[in-house]
Amino acid sequence: MIRLGIDVGGTNTDGVVLSADNEILASTKSTTTKDIFSGIKQTLAKLMEESKLNAEKIDVATLGTTHCTNAIVERKGLNRVGIIRICLPSGSAVTPLLDWPQDLVDQLDPVTLLIHGGYEYNGEPIAALEESELQNAVEKLKGEVDSIAITSVFSPVQNEQEKYVAEYLSKAMPEIPISISSEIGSVGLIERENATILNAALMSTIRRVSEGFQQALEQEGIQAKIFLGQNDGTLMTNEYAQKYPIYTIACGPTNSIRGAAHLTNEPDAIVVDIGGTTTDIGVLANSFPRQTSLAVEVGGVRTNYRMPDIYSVGFGGGTRIHREDNGWKVGPDSVGYRLMEEAKAFGGETLTATDIAIAKGQVHFGEPDIASFKDLPVDDIYETMTHVVEEAIDRMKTNSEDATVVLVGGGAALMPEALKGASKVIRPAHAGVANAIGAALGDISGTVERIYLLENDSYENIIENAKAEAVKNAVAAGADPNQIQIIQLEDFPLAYLPGQALLVKVKVAGPLKI
């Protein structure tokens, strides 16, 4: 199986071609273009030229993309969303979108409906669904919205009403994509609803992304099966991504973490991905990115769906170095993809982190003009740059012991051979395209995070049912059902809920099935 991986970052678009034995046949790094797809086309053309492969030999093409993140942050290209909350007569005190940024609400231009239904903490119905309300929802939403988000009270315990409403609306409006909250978020009505609304808002964005990627591949004669990177370091089929575009958010750092695991064979480490604009720090745990247990803000919106535990700082190869009254300040602003035009070492007027690393002798790049650095306190500035990264690494530790640190990304060369807090520092070969390698290599995963009640079933049955559901989700996302392994299994008693409630988290993963 020959794999092609593309990862689109804010500064660079990276690409690799991997052999059936996961050897790197070709790799390239191109500047990310304003329209994104021009950069992808350039990357594809370079890969095909370098690998000398016949395009028909490529079986799988994977894409890690920032499109969905950018759509939310920039408030562009989002769907008009119909919001249905199944909650009456309770659950109406806090209205949908209450704490959202107003400019994002204006962009979504939502149609919001609250209807009878929902569940208590033990799965007992609050109220029955009412046919008249469902018919009213069809009349209000038909022809008015681009997608629909459905959320029910305590749907992680019981989601039958969400499914029924989704089927009802789907029959009446088959052309409208529908997102239901029990498939996306966890316990916590508002945060789960927020994640579901964002997922619905991204439906047109993900369609444009996949169609553009498909066209770029076809222009190179590549007829491979398309997969997209998701934010747990695994892949999903194009069809699955069309249902859950929100899972592509933050897939770039997790691709780098998975790529680092492959390049170093280190199952547990802190991975530092230094790009042109930012440095993203994540943790490898059992060869997969550690997930956060906290609610996460996306574009100013608080959500509780699955997200990687990533800490980002404003430091990269293009980071500006500022003179201050009492010394020098590193970033957080950056020249980004304009590094080769604006950095002093390349004839520009801006002092950057790359300039300092070149002056220090840490980075060797062509024949830069280093005469202008002779009056600068290069050692002091370089120490400040290094301290920014060392401090970020410490923030990701769960204990005080030194940890293995893997440096990847285009800016990995900026750092010294040793870092405080690191037992060893690994800078592997091909570190600059670790993100594309992670995208190309990804397995397919399936996850379940649900509340079960021990008073209704035995512990053994609950765990087996959760495992089976996770495997079913992985197969739906494109995994080979015969090679799926459990990589995470946790359960937590919920003392604040009666009825011997148990929160079960299961994650499985396996190689993709072609």
Side-chain angles (χ1 to χ4, degrees):
M1 185 189 299
I2 305 295
R3 299 177 181 228
L4 181 151
I6 302 283
D7 188 274
V8 182
T11 304
N12 293 305
T13 296
D14 300 336
V16 295
V17 177
L18 301 180
S19 70
D21 298 323
N22 292 333
E23 294 179 354
I24 297 173
L25 301 177
S27 66
T28 186
K29 185 181 286 286
S30 304
T31 301
T32 296
T33 53
K34 190 171 182 179
D35 67 348
I36 304 292
F37 288 108
S38 297
I40 291 176
K41 290 174 185 176
Q42 291 171 18
T43 300
L44 287 172
K46 288 180 183 178
L47 288 174
M48 298 311 296
E49 182 180 353
E50 183 182 333
S51 67
K52 306 294 191 229
L53 278 174
N54 186 322
E56 295 176 359
K57 295 285 187 182
I58 296 176
D59 303 297
V60 173
T62 63
L63 176 67
T65 176
T66 59
H67 280 78
C68 289
T69 306
N70 295 344
I72 294 172
V73 172
E74 297 174 8
R75 320 309 202 210
K76 291 180 180 178
L78 300 173
N79 283 15
R80 188 183 189 196
V81 181
I83 301 169
I84 296 179
R85 184 190 289 176
I86 309 170
C87 64
L88 298 178
S90 62
S92 59
V94 178
T95 58
L97 308 172
L98 182 67
D99 61 345
W100 283 47
Q102 189 57 47
D103 60 339
L104 183 54
V105 176
D106 293 342
Q107 176 66 31
L108 296 186
D109 189 21
V111 178
T112 302
L113 299 168
L114 273 56
I115 65 175
H116 282 79
Y119 294 92
E120 302 285 0
Y121 60 84
N122 61 358
E124 292 293 322
I126 293 173
L129 294 171
E130 296 186 7
E131 197 79 11
S132 60
E133 290 182 336
L134 298 182
Q135 185 56 45
N136 178 60
V138 171
E139 293 172 0
K140 289 282 182 66
L141 300 177
K142 197 166 189 177
E144 296 296 324
V145 298
D146 306 310
S147 55
I148 297 171
I150 301 171
T151 306
S152 170
V153 176
F154 271 113
S155 62
V157 177
Q158 178 63 267
N159 64 0
E160 291 304 313
Q161 290 185 349
E162 276 189 354
K163 288 182 175 179
Y164 183 87
V165 173
E167 289 173 7
Y168 187 99
L169 297 180
S170 184
K171 288 178 182 176
M173 298 175 282
E175 73 287 355
I176 302 296
I178 297 174
S179 302
I180 67 173
S181 74
S182 57
E183 296 177 352
I184 295 170
S186 184
V187 182
L189 175 67
I190 301 303
E191 291 85 356
R192 175 164 39 88
E193 181 178 63
N194 288 348
T196 309
I197 295 168
L198 287 178
N199 189 73
L202 293 167
M203 293 295 186
S204 294
T205 299
I206 199 67
R207 187 176 66 250
R208 288 192 298 269
V209 168
S210 60
E211 288 174 354
F213 189 43
Q214 178 100 44
Q215 290 170 8
L217 291 169
E218 288 175 354
Q219 287 178 13
E220 289 294 329
I222 299 171
Q223 298 293 329
K225 187 168 183 180
I226 292 177
F227 290 82
L228 277 81
Q230 51 180 339
N231 61 16
D232 63 353
T234 62
L235 303 176
M236 52 186 167
T237 62
N238 188 22
E239 295 76 17
Y240 195 84
Q242 302 305 308
K243 290 183 65 178
Y244 307 109
I246 198 168
Y247 288 154
T248 67
I249 292 177
C251 71
T254 57
N255 283 341
S256 295
I257 294 171
R258 285 283 287 160
H262 172 72
L263 291 172
T264 63
N265 290 318
E266 292 280 349
D268 301 287
I270 293 177
V271 178
V272 180
D273 180 12
I274 305 177
T277 305
T278 61
T279 292
D280 299 317
I281 299 97
V283 178
L284 259 177
N286 195 23
S287 297
F288 280 87
R290 184 175 74 192
Q291 300 292 300
T292 183
S293 57
L294 304 173
V296 176
E297 277 201 3
V298 178
V301 178
R302 186 177 171 87
T303 68
N304 67 358
Y305 78 106
R306 180 196 73 214
M307 281 285 278
D309 189 3
I310 301 291
Y311 178 62
S312 297
V313 291
F315 172 77
T319 296
R320 297 174 190 263
I321 307 298
H322 303 275
R323 186 191 293 274
E324 293 189 329
D325 294 339
N326 58 347
W328 296 83
K329 182 184 177 213
V330 177
D333 52 329
S334 170
V335 299
Y337 62 82
R338 301 184 306 278
L339 177 68
M340 300 300 290
E341 292 84 37
E342 297 195 19
K344 277 184 174 291
F346 308 113
E349 299 296 325
T350 305
L351 182 63
T352 69
T354 297
D355 293 323
I356 297 299
I358 289 173
K360 177 73 174 171
Q362 182 67 30
V363 174
H364 304 281
F365 203 110
E367 298 181 3
D369 175 17
I370 60 173
S372 57
F373 303 143
K374 64 180 186 297
D375 296 327
L376 293 174
V378 170
D379 290 344
D380 291 343
I381 298 173
Y382 187 74
E383 185 178 337
T384 303
M385 286 165 40
T386 304
H387 182 68
V388 169
V389 174
E390 289 172 339
E391 193 175 61
I393 290 170
D394 275 342
R395 289 192 59 155
M396 296 303 289
K397 292 181 180 179
T398 54
N399 57 51
S400 60
E401 295 179 7
D402 289 352
T404 298
V405 172
V406 181
L407 297 176
V408 297
L414 297 175
M415 290 293 104
E417 297 298 318
L419 292 168
K420 292 176 184 175
S423 57
K424 60 178 176 179
V425 176
I426 304 173
R427 191 183 287 103
H430 305 291
V433 290
N435 50 357
I437 292 170
L441 277 177
D443 287 337
I444 306 292
S445 71
T447 59
V448 165
E449 184 173 342
R450 288 191 59 187
I451 295 174
Y452 297 86
L453 301 177
L454 283 168
E455 65 181 15
N456 297 336
D457 208 342
S458 69
Y459 174 83
E460 291 76 15
N461 283 345
I462 285 172
I463 296 300
E464 288 305 314
N465 289 339
K467 288 181 186 176
E469 188 175 345
V471 169
K472 181 181 176 183
N473 291 342
V475 172
D480 183 342
N482 299 316
Q483 299 189 61
I484 292 176
Q485 294 181 324
I486 295 172
I487 58 176
Q488 179 188 15
L489 175 57
E490 299 175 312
D491 59 83
F492 309 92
L494 300 181
Y496 58 87
L497 291 181
Q500 292 182 284
L502 195 68
L503 175 63
V504 179
K505 298 181 180 181
V506 183
K507 182 175 180 178
V508 302
L512 56 90
K513 183 179 181 181
I514 299 299

